[in-house]
Amino acid sequence: MFVGLARDCEASLHNAVTQLSAVAPPARRVRWFVVESDSSDATVRVLERLEATHEGFAFRSLGSLRDRLPARTQRIAHCRNACLDWLREQADLAPSSHVIVADLDGVNDGVAAADLLSCWTRDDWSVCAANQPAHYYDIWALRHPQWCAGDCWREYEFLSRHGIEPDRARMAAVYARMVSIPADSEWIEVDSAFGGLAVYRADALLPCRYEGLTADGGEVCEHVSVHAQIRARGGRLFINPRLVNAGAEHLDHYWPEYRHIRETSRRLWFRALLRLSFGKQASKEIRRLLRSLE
């Protein structure tokens, strides 16, 4: 069972559904439910074609939510809760079934069937979230005691208010946490993670509700609230390093400076400047660090 949200994704939507359907665990009926809102492109028409041509595909358009729900995270949470409402109505969804929550912007086009199946090599999880091959990018949804204990963007705002330059604050609060996780690493237990794709046990997910605002009205990643509810019921959440989806092209969206850093580090004039400024050995170390971003 796949669920996801769609807004202004006409270019990627059909391929996203087709690709993920193709890598679904064998001998299981593939079903989809997608909730759309606030699109200004042809997303609804693509959804209509998918519903007409793909067995087991259904969608619901909620129209424009901006006036009623002005905060982006509020709208996302509302749409994800519509997915949960639909799941609860499915009489054939057993508690032991699994629900795959997927972004439909192209981030999952590279997922391999064997990598998705690797989630079932162990059975001690309630949520199994994706990894990325270059750098793990979804820091806003991440909660981990040592890696990212809180809301990265609130940390950025705090640092900025207290005299840290915006670029340095973003690096400290967000980009420095975009670590590389080799696919053969051990699973990483987390308090929250998403990364564009996550597999849930139905009995862990269905009792939950998404929240897109904090108690003081601030925007917050909607996944964090659901994962806190799952953990409060004794559930365990992991990043599965082998469940690899997005490549570096998607990191550009989450780290706008990433492409510029990557391209600049390859230029001869930049290498020469490093050597003149820092000396031979230090310039090698800096270039090694920059190459790790590729």
Side-chain angles (χ1 to χ4, degrees), residues 253-269:
H253 171 73
Y254 290 87
W255 186 352
E257 296 89 349
Y258 174 77
R259 183 186 297 275
H260 176 70
I261 292 172
R262 188 176 54 194
E263 293 176 351
T264 299
S265 67
R266 295 173 178 159
R267 295 175 182 170
L268 289 174
W269 66 263

Side-chain angles (χ1 to χ4, degrees), residues 95-292:
S96 60
S97 299
H98 292 87
V99 176
I100 300 176
V101 180
D103 282 349
L104 303 174
D105 56 358
V107 70
N108 294 307
D109 289 355
V111 174
D115 295 343
L116 184 57
L117 276 175
S118 72
C119 295
W120 285 272
T121 59
R122 49 193 286 180
D123 61 3
D124 58 344
W125 53 271
S126 301
V127 183
C128 189
N131 181 25
Q132 289 81 54
H135 288 258
Y136 187 89
Y137 68 79
D138 196 3
I139 306 302
W140 201 21
L142 179 67
R143 297 292 186 275
H144 180 278
Q146 288 79 45
W147 184 2
C148 184
D151 186 312
C152 63
W153 289 112
R154 289 211 161 192
E155 291 182 24
Y156 162 75
E157 292 166 2
F158 175 86
L159 294 173
S160 297
R161 286 197 308 269
H162 291 83
I164 304 299
E165 297 173 358
D167 287 346
R168 291 179 60 201
R170 278 194 297 271
M171 179 61 72
V174 186
Y175 303 148
R177 291 170 168 153
M178 293 183 176
V179 302
S180 180
I181 307 171
D184 59 356
S185 299
E186 294 294 319
W187 288 33
I188 302 172
E189 187 162 11
V190 295
D191 294 339
S192 177
F194 183 59
L197 182 72
V199 186
Y200 292 77
R201 284 183 55 95
D203 58 358
L205 179 63
L206 265 59
C208 300
R209 298 295 288 177
Y210 287 93
E211 297 291 340
L213 297 177
T214 60
D216 61 4
E219 293 193 65
V220 65
C221 178
E222 78 283 2
H223 297 292
V224 174
S225 60
V226 160
H227 295 158
Q229 294 166 58
I230 291 173
R231 291 182 62 250
R233 297 186 182 95
R236 299 178 70 190
L237 296 80
F238 294 87
I239 293 172
N240 173 5
R242 189 175 169 187
L243 181 57
V244 176
N245 56 3
E249 67 276 9
H250 289 276
L251 184 59
D252 292 341
H253 171 73
Y254 290 87
W255 186 352
E257 296 89 349
Y258 174 77
R259 183 186 297 275
H260 176 70
I261 292 172
R262 188 176 54 194
E263 293 176 351
T264 299
S265 67
R266 295 173 178 159
R267 295 175 182 170
L268 289 174
W269 66 263
F270 182 75
R271 296 180 185 181
L273 181 60
L274 283 178
R275 188 163 181 173
L276 286 171
S277 301
F278 299 102
K280 183 178 180 180
Q281 188 57 40
S283 70
K284 284 183 178 180
E285 294 300 322
I286 294 171
R287 285 169 53 197
R288 186 177 297 114
L289 172 64
L290 293 173
R291 280 199 300 273
S292 73

Side-chain angles (χ1 to χ4, degrees), residues 38-58:
D38 297 280
S39 293
S40 58
D41 63 1
T43 292
V44 173
R45 289 198 294 274
V46 175
L47 289 167
E48 290 170 343
R49 288 197 297 271
L50 284 166
E51 189 172 52
T53 58
H54 285 61
E55 182 181 358
F57 185 94

Side-chain angles (χ1 to χ4, degrees), residues 1-3 31 83-84 86-100 200-203 205-206:
M1 191 85 71
F2 289 90
V3 296
R31 297 179 64 191
C83 289
L84 293 182
W86 181 85
L87 287 168
R88 295 187 192 101
E89 296 168 358
Q90 308 312 303
D92 59 342
L93 183 61
S96 60
S97 299
H98 292 87
V99 176
I100 300 176
Y200 292 77
R201 284 183 55 95
D203 58 358
L205 179 63
L206 265 59

